[in-house]
Amino acid sequence: MATSQKPAIIIVHGAWHRPVHYLGLVNALKARGYEVNVPALATAGWQPSVSNASIVDDAAVIQKALGQYTAIGREVILICHSYGGIPSTMAAVGNTISDRLAAGHGGGIKGVIYIAAFAVPARGMSLVNIAGMASLNEHPDWWSHKGPLAFLEPDACGRLYSGIGEDVSRICMDSTVPHSLAAFVDPCTNSGQEIAAPQVFIGCRDDLIMPFEGQKAMAAAVGARFIDIDSGHSPFLENERISDVVGIVEEIA
């Protein structure tokens, strides 16, 4: 890879979300000369296959996106939000620059950025485990489930998009989709400690979804550098906070 070429960026979206939610961050990164890919995860959407989708399927989606770049020796920065941290961990282990170099290949993941994301402290943990729930029956009241799918309740809007204007929040909420329930209990076969690349955790002080202290604990558990910002759970919807994220990308790149 030419030294002047910037790494590609892959953004892994959170549960119930779609790539369109991250358009502001995508555009800001593209304006800085980055190639950006936001693959649609298998566990979110209206298509029938979502009912049976797992984090293994999501990891495969991420690995496919990675492969488009690593096959030609490109370096990649992986940005993951919320639930996206779990399949990103599965996909990242074995695909970093040092991992690939050891196998005689070029390219690979140069760094991982968690945005209020689930960093996996140990192998075998699921989202339910990391969130401190004994079972799905202890899930918070801003989401519910029916059959194999999880759905957001109206109250989720103010939690997911706290600090965001009402019009933007409503548009974002209207763009959410059902999510596979199995993905919340599927064990992750890798841990964040196994990712052989620099990791940065962007902690959101005003997050109403993920407690701030929990964010700090996860970052410490996987050895990620912790940077806190004054934001709710979705800083990629705030122009000032988008600038913060882009600045961190520039540091790693």
Side-chain angles (χ1 to χ4, degrees), residues 118 121 124-135 184-188:
F118 285 93
M125 297 189 75
S126 67
L127 182 148
V128 165
N129 300 146
I130 301 169
M133 292 184 275
S135 71
F184 296 160
V185 295
D186 288 335
C188 184

Side-chain angles (χ1 to χ4, degrees), residues 137-163:
N137 293 330
E138 296 182 2
H139 70 79
D141 58 9
W142 51 265
W143 66 269
S144 59
H145 58 90
K146 182 177 181 180
L149 297 175
F151 300 88
L152 291 174
E153 294 294 320
D155 178 54
C157 185
R159 292 178 174 274
L160 285 167
Y161 311 121
S162 59

